[in-house]
Amino acid sequence: MIGTALTDLGLGFEVAFQQNNLLFCFLGVLFGNIVGVLPGMGVMAAISVLLPLTFAMKPVAAILMLAGIYYGAQYGGAICSILLNLPCHPPHAVTCLDGYPLTLQGRGASALGITMLSSFVGASFGITEMIFFAPVLVEVAFKFGPADICSLMLLGLLAGSTLAKSAPLKGVGMTVLGLLLGLAGTDVNTGETRFTFGFVELTDGVEIVALALGLFGIAEFLKSVNNVLPISATGTVVRLRDMVPRRDELRRAFPAMIRGTLIGSMCALIPGTGPTIASFVAYAAEKKISRNPEKFGHGAIEGVAAPEASTHSSVQGDFIPTMSLGIPGDSVMALILGALVIQGIQPGPQLIREHPDLFWGLIASFWIGNVLLLILNVPLIGIWVKLLKIPYRFLYPSALFFICIGVYSTTNDLFTVGEALAIGIGGYGLLQLGFHPAPILLGFVLGPRLEENFRRAMLISGGKLSVFVERPISATFLGLAALLLIVQVVLRIRLGRTAGLQDD
Amino acid sequence: MKFWSRRTGLLGAACAAVLTIAGGVHAQPTYPSQPIRIIVGYAPGGNTDIPARLFSTVMAKNLGVSIVVENRPGASGVPAAEFVKRAKPDGYTLLWATSASHSVSVVAMAPLPYDPVKDFAPITLISQDPNVLVSGPDIKAEGVQQILEYLKAHPRSPVGNSGPATSGRFAMELMKPKLGVETVPVPYKSTGPLLTDLAGNQIPFGIMGASTAVPFLKDKRIKAYFVTSLTRSRILPDVPTLNETVSPGFDAVAWSALYAPPGTPAPVVAKINAAMREAAQAPEVKQWLEQSGLEVPLGTPEQLVAFMQTDIARWVSVAKDNNLKFNAGE
């Protein structure tokens, strides 16, 4: 298996290095990187704008370019998260939590350097794993039934409530709020609309981009009016030396990168988990494993390295089941597959056999693209950091402007911009009350999947709840969830007891 | 000191009034003379979006204006349809709709914010996709008779479908009065996860458009038993129809059609209709049609209306017979 994979890769590199293909790969990642930096500016919008261009191109070049836009955008996404506390896309929301404090401490440039490195490591290792284990892993994906996914989502929700910087109860409250927001829309089983308040635009639920940018962008901006935190001056004069991270930072970040990569690759396989979930899980895992969890939220470099590596690994990994089964993991993949259909190529399990040059050329181009992105981005870090020198009264309104355009581009409907605004105002209220919005996003993403899979599992099993413990995968996840709960309770009791002892 | 005198203000208002009237009067150029927007109620890259883009690229060349596909995804295309209903009936905003928003939704998403027959100017029916019943590899049955026996022996078997407002889901309901087969619909948000679950034997049966099932069928990951159209699908020539075997007249297909806002002048409709028929002859469109196996019964607006009315009546009677209740609106 490894032998054939290597020869196929050889073919892939041959294809990818052809001048035409290389050019379009570069154009794709460049465009993607730029699009990624602009908040909310969807990869979807960018790809659909370029879609008609691909009609005239050869299939290989077309898909190399479109794919380049997709993973290139992930590189740009972290920049605003770290420097401005504004996530450009939902997967980068967690990066803000530790990235922005680092900027405030004047280490924004080095944080960006680590991010670029994590992105590269995550993407490259992610691709490598996927290549060699893809056939096996795809079969694993088939073993996941609705009951298993439901239990996994439950585990995720429980673990995710620890993302809160503040009291756990507040974290749970925010997760529940996210669950409620996720309920809005049409129930897939009965066709009934819930929480739409008569708005036909809400029949498909709240738009996630509006939620993420409203909560993390607009709310934060509202909060910082007249209240802007000063950025340490040392961070704005950037020399190449500053971009190179300190040795101890690298030493701590590197294992985090590896762990993040592994988590991201796993998430790429499990149906229904995307880069957003991957980044949340990686962050939560780091916090749990770390010896000093209280550092998180105040500039722990692991909290930046792991989610970024995870996001990139998951994004690259997403291509594998998509290309090998023809089933897109999310709407961007669907669009890329659509571009193939227009070219006359039928995506599906036989794609690898019928068009090996396309498949392996794409895989090879991932490496090439990531190297190109690294070369592009590292020198640019200095320029990005200079962004901070722009007075806030120009910077923030410009960012808001881009947010509005980006949010509008997701549905071509002004209503979505209104959603973002309303959520932003609500989020501002929450921030003032001392709640942190990160778990809302988690509840919003995981909740509907939990419900959908729970009901589907029940429909298929004919109403038997025991299916959740009878299936081995589901039982494992439920067991882990129970373990998590027990550990939390025991820790609390112990803390209470030692505190009680100390009082004596 | 007043900023401006009352007289200047009145003069200004008069000028503005004249200008607005003047704006409405100009020579009507022949259609089309501006870019045309085709609204698609699904995300780009999907099964509805792709043919819209293919057709519009060819039509743009033939008509000499640019045609832009605008995606307004969500809720089975209903908000997109409502948007076009309210647009100006000048032929520059069109709707590429499917049976989900203009037929099945009459039942599945009642009350609709529009009447599919009265609130749109029909242009032409575009494509028809039969539904095919498939199962994972573990089911031990072959052919129509055996699978019907299996379904009768295992009442209330779960059958996955690709959405609550799809013709597939309702085709299964139609089987209850016509074939005495009762199944439990298990809706998915799209076909992809359904295919994965079928191949992994997580769910025993599924019903979906034939064009979406073909890749997995070719790879032998799922098995097909019958299609729900009147004639066999071109890409599944070995799969019998219910019509020819056990239930003559059984017809339940997913379809797509082109509409314009109500009140669009007849000559404009005729021109678009002709452009669509011309575009269907283009090689790239033909190639895609071959691949997906869709039937392309491009016809007249009157034919579209007649077809719609039969289709809607079918679903309404199914819902009534099976006592199905949906409540999609406030």
Side-chain angles (χ1 to χ4, degrees), chain A residues 146 189 455-464 467, chain B residues 132-136 139 147 150-162 168-169 172-173 181-188 194 197-198 201-208 225:
Chain A
N189 284 314
R455 293 166 77 181
R456 191 170 296 152
M458 294 296 279
L459 274 171
I460 296 179
S461 74
K464 291 191 300 187
V467 70
Chain B
V132 56
L133 182 76
V134 295
S135 80
I139 301 282
I147 199 65
Y150 183 101
L151 287 172
K152 286 193 198 155
H154 299 81
R156 305 181 61 78
S157 293
V159 178
N161 57 65
S162 43
R169 181 230 186 287
M172 295 311 295
E173 301 288 343
V181 162
E182 193 183 341
T183 55
V184 169
V186 181
Y188 286 70
L194 174 58
D197 276 359
L198 280 165
N201 288 306
Q202 307 293 348
I203 187 172
F205 297 102
I207 183 140
M208 63 187 69
Y225 298 94

Side-chain angles (χ1 to χ4, degrees), chain A residues 227-247:
Chain A
N227 194 14
V228 176
L229 294 160
I231 302 233
S232 173
T234 53
T236 51
V237 176
V238 175
R239 299 157 294 185
L240 195 60
R241 212 170 351 129
D242 284 338
M243 284 190 267
V244 174
R246 299 203 296 256
R247 180 163 289 180

Side-chain angles (χ1 to χ4, degrees), chain A residues 11-353:
Chain A
L11 165 69
F13 273 105
E14 239 184 86
V15 170
F17 270 119
Q18 279 168 24
Q19 201 172 20
N20 203 29
N21 298 336
L22 198 60
L23 173 69
F24 280 108
C25 176
F26 174 69
L27 283 176
V29 299
L30 180 65
F31 192 54
N33 205 7
I34 297 175
V35 163
V37 177
L38 301 171
M41 194 61 77
V43 184
M44 280 289 275
I47 297 185
S48 30
V49 159
L50 289 182
L51 193 63
L53 260 164
T54 63
F55 296 176
M57 293 162 62
K58 288 227 170 44
V60 180
I63 197 171
L64 254 51
M65 182 176 85
L66 295 178
I69 298 179
Y70 186 33
Y71 59 82
Q74 306 299 322
Y75 270 79
I79 296 176
C80 286
S81 311
I82 295 179
L83 294 180
L84 295 177
N85 205 22
L86 167 70
C88 297
H89 303 101
H92 301 282
V94 236
T95 319
C96 297
L97 296 176
D98 275 281
Y100 190 56
L102 278 171
T103 306
L104 292 176
Q105 293 162 24
R107 281 155 51 209
S110 119
L112 278 179
I114 299 244
T115 305
M116 297 305 159
L117 197 59
S118 311
S119 310
F120 183 71
V121 165
S124 322
F125 281 20
I127 307 168
T128 318
E129 273 177 75
M130 297 302 291
I131 304 284
F132 292 115
F133 300 113
V136 175
L137 299 176
V138 164
E139 296 300 320
V140 166
F142 280 140
K143 296 270 182 297
F144 273 79
D148 309 312
I149 301 183
C150 173
S151 304
L152 179 62
M153 296 294 131
L154 187 64
L155 178 65
L157 279 169
L158 278 174
S161 43
T162 58
L163 281 178
K165 278 198 237 190
S166 46
L169 193 59
K170 280 187 170 178
V172 171
M174 288 294 99
T175 313
V176 171
L177 185 60
L179 288 177
L180 289 175
L181 282 171
L183 279 179
T186 310
D187 174 36
V188 79
N189 284 314
T190 59
E192 220 171 293
T193 50
R194 313 183 292 200
F195 285 162
T196 57
F197 302 107
F199 289 113
V200 82
E201 295 89 344
L202 279 178
T203 39
D204 242 14
V206 173
E207 191 62 45
I208 186 176
V209 176
L211 182 77
L213 287 174
L215 274 181
F216 292 91
I218 299 183
E220 286 288 340
F221 285 178
L222 287 174
K223 182 167 155 225
S224 58
V225 167
N226 276 341
N227 194 14
V228 176
L229 294 160
I231 302 233
S232 173
T234 53
T236 51
V237 176
V238 175
R239 299 157 294 185
L240 195 60
R241 212 170 351 129
D242 284 338
M243 284 190 267
V244 174
R246 299 203 296 256
R247 180 163 289 180
D248 66 317
E249 276 183 338
L250 256 181
R251 205 166 29 88
R252 278 179 309 159
F254 202 68
M257 284 184 220
I258 303 292
R259 287 190 288 263
T261 309
L262 286 171
I263 292 178
S265 312
M266 284 195 314
C267 284
L269 290 170
I270 299 174
T273 51
T276 311
I277 296 183
S279 65
F280 272 87
V281 170
Y283 185 82
E286 281 305 307
K287 201 167 167 193
K288 282 256 161 315
I289 297 178
S290 164
R291 264 173 237 156
N292 337 52
E294 66 286 346
K295 262 191 318 159
F296 281 79
H298 302 283
I301 196 69
E302 298 92 328
V304 171
E308 283 301 309
S310 174
T311 306
H312 284 253
S313 165
S314 142
V315 161
Q316 302 287 187
D318 264 341
F319 277 93
I320 309 287
T322 303
M323 299 296 285
S324 54
L325 284 179
I327 294 183
D330 60 23
S331 34
V332 182
M333 285 294 150
L335 189 48
I336 295 183
L337 282 185
L340 283 178
V341 172
I342 294 187
Q343 295 272 355
I345 297 181
Q346 175 84 280
Q350 75 289 4
L351 183 79
I352 307 185
R353 281 196 308 271

Side-chain angles (χ1 to χ4, degrees), chain B residues 119-185:
Chain B
D119 284 339
F120 293 90
I123 302 181
T124 174
L125 188 59
I126 304 172
S127 67
Q128 286 179 331
D129 194 11
N131 290 296
V132 56
L133 182 76
V134 295
S135 80
D138 274 2
I139 301 282
K140 302 272 175 282
E142 303 291 335
V144 185
Q145 290 299 348
Q146 285 190 15
I147 199 65
L148 286 175
E149 276 164 28
Y150 183 101
L151 287 172
K152 286 193 198 155
H154 299 81
R156 305 181 61 78
S157 293
V159 178
N161 57 65
S162 43
T166 53
S167 55
R169 181 230 186 287
F170 280 84
M172 295 311 295
E173 301 288 343
L174 193 56
M175 284 185 216
K176 197 158 147 209
K178 294 221 175 198
L179 297 171
V181 162
E182 193 183 341
T183 55
V184 169

Side-chain angles (χ1 to χ4, degrees), chain B residues 75-134:
Chain B
S76 305
V78 169
E82 209 228 353
F83 173 77
V84 173
K85 167 185 145 190
R86 289 181 281 129
K88 269 210 307 199
D90 53 11
Y92 293 109
T93 308
L94 304 174
L95 177 71
W96 190 286
T98 65
S99 45
S101 61
H102 275 65
S103 170
V104 184
S105 55
V106 171
V107 176
M109 296 181 72
L112 275 183
Y114 52 78
D115 180 324
V117 179
K118 297 209 197 85
D119 284 339
F120 293 90
I123 302 181
T124 174
L125 188 59
I126 304 172
S127 67
Q128 286 179 331
D129 194 11
N131 290 296
V132 56
L133 182 76
V134 295

